[in-house]
Amino acid sequence: MTDIDYDNLLMKIKPSKEEIEKVQKLSNQLVEVINESSNELNVPANAVLVGSVAKGTWLAGNADIDILIKFPLDTSSEYLKEYGLKIGHKCIEKMEGSSEERYASHPYVTGYIDGYYVDFVPCYDIKSSIELKSAVDRTLLHTEYIKANLKDKQTDEVVLLKKFMDSVGTYGSEFRVGGFSGYLCEMLILKYGNFIETLRNAAKNWNYGYIVDIENFGTAHIFKDPLIAIDPVDKKRNVAAALTLQKMSEFIVAAGNFLQSPSEEYFILKDCKTEPCIMMEQFKKRATKTVLICFKPPKIPADAVYPQIKKTENSIVRVAESEGFSIFGSESWTDENDLAVILIEFETWKLPYIKKHEGPQIWIREHQERFLEKYGQNAWIEEDRWVVGVKRDYMDAQILLSDLMTGKKSGYLKFGKHLKKKIMKEHQIIDVIEYLNSDKAEGKILYFLHHYLNQGELLYR
């Protein structure tokens, strides 16, 4: 195995001493301001720093500060939501930052203060998972557990694992990624001891349904996920529930590739060649037909937008295939504000007028009789089954897509519930070559198209 100077590598990917001091100073100040604001409003709540900043496992330049505002267990949900938001807004105002309300299991406030994003999230001050009232409450226990069990040297191992996963495209538990959460990374280092052993075990031992149960709770049987990582603070929760089979598989392959040929390149984001002319040639060479369905995403939280777009994409593919069109691949993307795109790549774009329709077996006489009443002498027998040639509903995929998007065939399509009116009201179906040849081909959508064309590139260096 080629040697990598991990000390030198960590100097590049860990936050510097100056960054750590700045983030810690700001975090401490925010906790003080929150507690001060709670007292001014006469609210029985106090703040605590949680997440990767509290645990010392964040990546350089990526310090999202998470602060929980803890309320007593007997606090009503309405009171917690109302005053949790008030205290968050008051703190941001005092710190002269900008604020935005968001929603997880309940509303919270995000602030942008001194160059950092800060989440102020109200929660219940629980001591164990038995007292759990909302998913947010667990974060308290997660932070305490990692701080109590992760050795100082292992924080570096977590940083290596996070950076590796980030560079190979498997880090992030949000729906748009479907990868590993930071807490899951920390759990894996606790399980295997260090970065290399985590990769070694993943590459050699992981398979579908693999179990990580640090506290030996023995509750893995209640889950049916690709990876089952029992939460050390809640035996009824799988920390890896958001991890898709796709991202688990990609990590296993990337881990094996790295162990076979270690390189610091695995800790650097790959440069993407997003020149439209290059991608036009790539799409042309494939000799398929790729279309982009473009529309404006609804104004709902990002975690709700992505699954609805994906549901719509999957439904389009399912309907197209049921009509006889062969689909090579599909993908979707959104910038969350102005543009959402569903990409469908067709192997077949035009179909013949006629298609074969299978009827009943000849000895299912009641069904045979009805079949022959409908099709008569146009039907014939293949082995023991009646078949007939019938006219297709759609010979042109363009017409099918247009009918799906405008509602003429909408009953067949399962839209995300906030998308139906949005898509039907305003959308565009455009050939990818035409799109890449237009002045619209710019920005992050080019990265989306590049990654679609080069789906395995991040796994190799």
Side-chain angles (χ1 to χ4, degrees), residues 31 34-35 46-50 66-70 119-124 136-141 143:
V31 168
I34 286 286
N35 292 335
N46 59 82
V48 60
L49 179 68
V50 295
D66 299 311
I67 293 176
L68 293 185
I69 306 170
K70 302 186 296 181
D119 286 342
F120 299 93
V121 186
C123 74
Y124 287 97
V136 173
D137 303 342
R138 280 198 204 92
T139 309
L140 276 173
L141 306 181
T143 301

Coordinates of all heavy atoms in Angstrom, one line a residue, residues 31 34-35 46-50 66-70 119-124 136-141 143:
V31 N -24.6 30.9 22.4 CA -25.2 30.3 23.6 C -25.6 31.3 24.7 O -26.7 31.3 25.2 CB -24.3 29.1 24.1 CG1 -24.8 28.6 25.5 CG2 -24.2 28.0 23.1
I34 N -28.5 33.5 23.5 CA -29.8 32.7 23.6 C -30.3 32.7 25.1 O -31.4 32.9 25.4 CB -29.6 31.3 23.1 CG1 -29.5 31.3 21.6 CG2 -30.7 30.4 23.5 CD1 -30.7 31.5 20.8
N35 N -29.4 32.3 26.0 CA -29.8 32.3 27.4 C -30.2 33.6 27.9 O -31.1 33.7 28.7 CB -28.6 31.7 28.2 CG -28.4 30.2 27.9 OD1 -29.3 29.5 27.4 ND2 -27.1 29.7 28.1
N46 N -32.8 27.0 27.8 CA -31.4 27.3 27.8 C -30.8 26.6 26.6 O -31.3 25.6 26.0 CB -30.7 27.0 29.1 CG -30.8 25.5 29.4 OD1 -30.1 24.7 28.9 ND2 -31.8 25.2 30.3
A47 N -29.7 27.1 26.1 CA -29.1 26.7 24.9 C -27.9 25.8 25.1 O -27.2 25.8 26.1 CB -28.6 27.9 24.1
V48 N -27.7 24.9 24.1 CA -26.5 24.0 24.1 C -26.0 23.8 22.7 O -26.8 23.7 21.8 CB -26.9 22.7 24.8 CG1 -28.0 21.9 24.0 CG2 -25.6 21.8 24.9
L49 N -24.7 23.8 22.5 CA -24.1 23.6 21.2 C -24.1 22.1 20.9 O -23.7 21.3 21.8 CB -22.7 24.2 21.2 CG -21.9 24.0 19.9 CD1 -22.5 24.8 18.8 CD2 -20.4 24.4 20.1
V50 N -24.5 21.7 19.7 CA -24.5 20.3 19.4 C -23.9 20.1 18.0 O -23.4 21.1 17.4 CB -26.0 19.7 19.4 CG1 -26.5 19.7 20.8 CG2 -26.9 20.5 18.4
D66 N -24.8 24.4 15.1 CA -26.2 23.9 15.5 C -26.3 24.1 17.0 O -25.6 23.6 17.8 CB -26.3 22.4 15.2 CG -26.2 22.1 13.7 OD1 -26.8 22.8 12.9 OD2 -25.4 21.1 13.4
I67 N -27.4 24.9 17.3 CA -27.7 25.2 18.7 C -29.1 24.8 19.0 O -30.0 25.2 18.3 CB -27.5 26.7 19.0 CG1 -26.0 27.1 18.8 CG2 -28.0 27.0 20.4 CD1 -25.7 28.5 19.0
L68 N -29.2 23.9 20.0 CA -30.5 23.5 20.5 C -31.0 24.4 21.6 O -30.2 24.8 22.5 CB -30.5 22.1 21.0 CG -30.2 21.0 19.9 CD1 -30.4 19.6 20.5 CD2 -31.2 21.1 18.7
I69 N -32.2 24.8 21.6 CA -32.8 25.6 22.7 C -33.7 24.6 23.5 O -34.8 24.2 23.0 CB -33.7 26.8 22.1 CG1 -32.8 27.6 21.2 CG2 -34.2 27.6 23.3 CD1 -33.6 28.7 20.4
K70 N -33.2 24.2 24.6 CA -33.9 23.2 25.4 C -35.0 23.7 26.3 O -34.8 24.7 27.0 CB -32.8 22.5 26.3 CG -31.7 21.8 25.5 CD -30.8 21.0 26.5 CE -30.1 21.9 27.5 NZ -29.2 21.1 28.4
D119 N -28.1 27.2 13.0 CA -29.5 26.7 13.2 C -29.8 26.8 14.6 O -29.1 26.3 15.5 CB -29.6 25.2 12.7 CG -29.6 25.1 11.2 OD1 -29.9 26.1 10.5 OD2 -29.4 24.0 10.7
F120 N -30.9 27.5 14.9 CA -31.5 27.5 16.3 C -32.7 26.7 16.4 O -33.8 27.0 15.8 CB -31.8 29.0 16.7 CG -30.6 29.9 16.6 CD1 -30.4 30.7 15.5 CD2 -29.8 30.1 17.7 CE1 -29.3 31.5 15.4 CE2 -28.7 31.0 17.7 CZ -28.5 31.7 16.5
V121 N -32.6 25.5 17.0 CA -33.7 24.5 16.9 C -34.2 24.3 18.3 O -33.5 23.8 19.2 CB -33.2 23.2 16.3 CG1 -34.4 22.3 16.1 CG2 -32.5 23.5 15.0
P122 N -35.5 24.5 18.6 CA -36.1 24.2 19.9 C -36.3 22.7 20.0 O -36.6 22.0 19.1 CB -37.5 24.9 19.8 CG -37.8 25.1 18.4 CD -36.5 25.2 17.7
C123 N -36.1 22.2 21.3 CA -36.2 20.8 21.5 C -36.6 20.6 23.0 O -36.6 21.5 23.8 CB -34.9 20.1 21.2 SG -33.6 20.3 22.4
Y124 N -36.9 19.4 23.4 CA -37.2 19.0 24.8 C -35.9 18.5 25.4 O -35.1 17.8 24.8 CB -38.2 18.0 24.8 CG -39.6 18.5 24.5 CD1 -40.2 18.3 23.2 CD2 -40.4 19.2 25.5 CE1 -41.4 18.8 22.9 CE2 -41.6 19.7 25.2 CZ -42.1 19.5 23.9 OH -43.4 20.0 23.6
V136 N -35.8 15.8 16.7 CA -34.8 16.7 17.1 C -34.1 16.5 18.4 O -32.9 16.6 18.6 CB -35.3 18.2 17.0 CG1 -34.3 19.2 17.5 CG2 -35.8 18.5 15.6
D137 N -35.0 16.0 19.4 CA -34.5 15.8 20.7 C -33.3 14.8 20.8 O -32.5 15.0 21.7 CB -35.6 15.2 21.6 CG -36.9 16.1 21.6 OD1 -36.7 17.3 21.2 OD2 -37.9 15.6 22.0
R138 N -33.3 13.9 19.9 CA -32.2 12.9 19.9 C -30.8 13.5 19.7 O -29.8 13.0 20.2 CB -32.3 11.9 18.8 CG -33.3 10.8 19.0 CD -33.1 9.6 18.0 NE -34.3 8.8 17.9 CZ -35.2 9.1 16.9 NH1 -35.0 10.1 16.1 NH2 -36.2 8.3 16.8
T139 N -30.7 14.6 19.0 CA -29.5 15.3 18.8 C -28.7 15.6 20.1 O -27.5 15.5 20.1 CB -29.7 16.6 18.0 OG1 -30.5 16.3 16.8 CG2 -28.3 17.2 17.5
L140 N -29.4 15.9 21.1 CA -28.8 16.1 22.4 C -28.0 14.9 22.8 O -26.9 14.9 23.2 CB -29.9 16.4 23.5 CG -30.4 17.8 23.6 CD1 -31.5 17.8 24.6 CD2 -29.3 18.7 24.2
L141 N -28.7 13.7 22.8 CA -28.1 12.5 23.2 C -27.0 12.0 22.3 O -26.0 11.5 22.7 CB -29.2 11.4 23.2 CG -30.5 11.7 24.0 CD1 -31.5 10.5 24.0 CD2 -30.1 12.0 25.5
T143 N -24.9 14.0 20.6 CA -23.7 14.8 20.9 C -23.1 14.3 22.2 O -21.8 14.1 22.2 CB -24.1 16.3 21.0 OG1 -24.7 16.7 19.8 CG2 -22.9 17.1 21.3

